[in-house]
Amino acid sequence: MPLVLEPAAVRALYDEAVDRRWVLPCFCSENLATTEAILAAAADHARETGIRDLPVTVAMTVNYDHRPQARLYTQTRRWQTGLGLFRRSLDVLLDPDGPFADLRVMVHLDHVQPGPDDELLSSDLSGYSSILYDASTRPFDENVRMTADFVEKRRHEIVVEGACDEIVDADGQERNDITSPDRAARFMARTGADLMVANLGTEHRASSTTLTYHGDMARNIRDRVGHRIVLHGTSSVPASQVARLWEDGVAKVNVWTILERDASPVLFDDMVRNAVRVAGVGKVRELSESGWLGPRALDTGSAGALTHFTTAYRQEAVYRSMKETVRGFLALWLPGISRNGP
Ligand SMILES: [Zn+2]
């Protein structure tokens, strides 16, 4: 089916998810291989669970200074080009005759910031399902005022997620305040936002899974605002910590870092094991003689090969790894009916 874009339809899907004890997953993408991995994982999971019209959200940041994904999408480094290709690729991929036609796909604009993203913010947003209007780097009262203003002007056009508190960088030095239930309740009451990103201890762009997600605080927030919490920074905690998010009042989870972080070692491993096919005998001999590769690298083929020196090979390795990661999250957050009964 076509993208779910109408605000009323998007809000209805979030209500349905709460009823069905689902947490709606949202995966960021900055290239076509990632977008396809997300949709292919969702289609496989739909088949396996029998949830034919499975919901999934694909997202992109635009000029977000920590990761401007629309600009990274093409070598032009123009956000308009990247966002346009990303958005149109979804229409093409969701062709009624294609493999993803039954999915209910939403498209989300992530970490859109007043200032760097003013041009986007002043444009027509009706081609997107939801937006994170992110004024969380401003003082709380200013954040509330700006978010409330945006919600009032645009809520007829797009579902709005606000950011109550900043989610900090894994390598940053900034303070990291966990969102309090009082503050969350004030944020939701005063802004009128549909959803709210809370700081629950996770961090962005983490290189490992060593942090603690504060589920107890999430449940306290849930008691005040309902199932309206959005969790970011999931890649910074072990999957076991985010297995019961519905109970915690989390309506939506945004994921990106782990897709890329776990795909690179898979590709690297495969390239090393196929060194000659990837890079040719001359390059592998040079790297062996300088100590970067061991002697076994020279036994990995007789010459460079189309099966291994093409972009298609590199993209497929990344795609397969990302698809597996996405499937793992879908199993956590969109479980099917258990064989032993509901
Ligand atoms: Zn985020």
Side-chain angles (χ1 to χ4, degrees):
M1 59 189 75
L3 284 161
V4 182
L5 299 174
E6 276 288 314
V10 174
R11 290 184 182 113
L13 186 42
Y14 273 88
D15 289 344
E16 179 191 334
V18 175
D19 288 345
R20 297 179 76 162
R21 302 175 70 89
W22 284 344
V23 177
L24 293 179
C26 172
F27 300 96
C28 279
S29 168
E30 57 184 43
N31 49 64
L32 184 58
T34 307
T35 303
E36 281 198 83
I38 297 161
L39 296 178
D44 280 3
H45 189 66
R47 256 191 309 278
E48 210 160 82
T49 54
I51 309 171
R52 266 173 57 88
D53 54 354
L54 190 102
V56 68
T57 303
V58 189
M60 174 180 262
T61 66
V62 182
N63 287 300
Y64 185 42
D65 50 359
H66 298 286
R67 193 73 196 173
Q69 296 184 306
R71 283 197 259 141
L72 294 166
Y73 199 89
T74 70
Q75 302 305 320
T76 65
R77 298 293 185 247
R78 290 182 75 245
W79 70 264
Q80 296 90 340
T81 307
L83 186 61
L85 283 170
F86 166 72
R87 177 61 186 77
R88 275 170 245 181
S89 72
L90 288 170
D91 287 335
V92 176
L93 288 162
L94 299 178
D95 185 291
D97 296 325
F100 312 123
D102 288 340
L103 298 173
R104 284 186 283 178
V105 182
M106 293 182 279
V107 55
H108 172 77
L109 294 165
D110 209 23
H111 289 292
V112 175
Q113 294 179 313
D117 285 312
D118 278 347
E119 196 182 332
L120 172 69
L121 284 167
S122 63
S123 69
D124 175 12
L125 297 171
S126 59
Y128 300 90
S129 316
S130 58
I131 183 170
L132 167 51
Y133 180 87
D134 184 358
S136 65
T137 57
R138 322 254 171 154
F140 183 73
D141 287 332
E142 193 182 342
N143 176 4
V144 165
R145 188 170 45 73
M146 291 174 78
T147 307
D149 187 51
F150 183 78
V151 170
E152 194 189 324
K153 288 190 181 127
R154 310 301 285 272
R155 74 182 312 273
H156 64 281
E157 191 179 325
I158 191 165
V159 165
V160 183
E161 181 179 321
C164 182
D165 289 293
E166 199 173 354
I167 308 294
V168 301
D169 255 28
D171 53 2
Q173 300 299 312
E174 301 113 297
R175 65 202 170 81
N176 194 3
D177 290 339
I178 304 298
T179 299
S180 71
D182 269 349
R183 203 168 154 96
R186 266 189 293 146
F187 184 86
M188 289 306 269
R190 286 167 59 187
T191 62
D194 293 284
L195 298 157
M196 177 199 66
V197 180
N199 183 341
L200 295 165
T202 61
E203 292 181 354
H204 277 141
R205 289 166 289 279
S207 60
S208 62
T209 53
T210 52
L211 296 178
T212 303
Y213 156 70
H214 293 266
D216 51 344
M217 195 54 90
R219 289 188 289 280
N220 291 336
I221 294 173
R222 175 205 63 195
D223 291 345
R224 301 286 296 276
V225 307
H227 284 257
R228 314 275 291 279
I229 303 169
V230 180
L231 182 64
H232 284 229
T234 327
S235 307
S236 65
V237 298
S240 58
Q241 288 194 22
V242 290
R244 299 176 64 81
L245 292 179
W246 184 88
E247 282 84 348
D248 298 349
V250 174
K252 170 173 182 264
V253 187
N254 281 39
V255 178
W256 174 66
T257 309
I258 191 170
L259 303 182
E260 297 278 4
R261 189 184 71 204
D262 286 9
S264 253
V266 171
L267 174 62
F268 181 67
D269 185 286
D270 205 80
M271 289 179 103
V272 170
R273 290 169 195 271
N274 289 282
V276 172
R277 294 181 194 95
V278 168
V281 175
K283 174 53 80 178
V284 173
R285 182 167 293 129
E286 181 191 316
L287 288 169
S288 296
E289 284 169 5
S290 57
W292 287 103
L293 289 173
R296 285 179 70 187
L298 280 160
D299 301 330
T300 54
S302 53
L306 271 177
T307 51
H308 285 82
F309 63 54
T310 51
T311 304
Y313 155 76
R314 296 189 291 275
Q315 285 179 341
E316 192 183 335
V318 165
Y319 162 86
R320 283 180 188 280
S321 166
M322 287 183 172
K323 187 176 163 190
E324 203 178 303
T325 306
V326 171
R327 288 202 65 180
F329 284 123
L330 294 175
L332 287 180
W333 301 326
L334 293 171
I337 305 298
S338 141
R339 287 199 185 85
N340 305 318

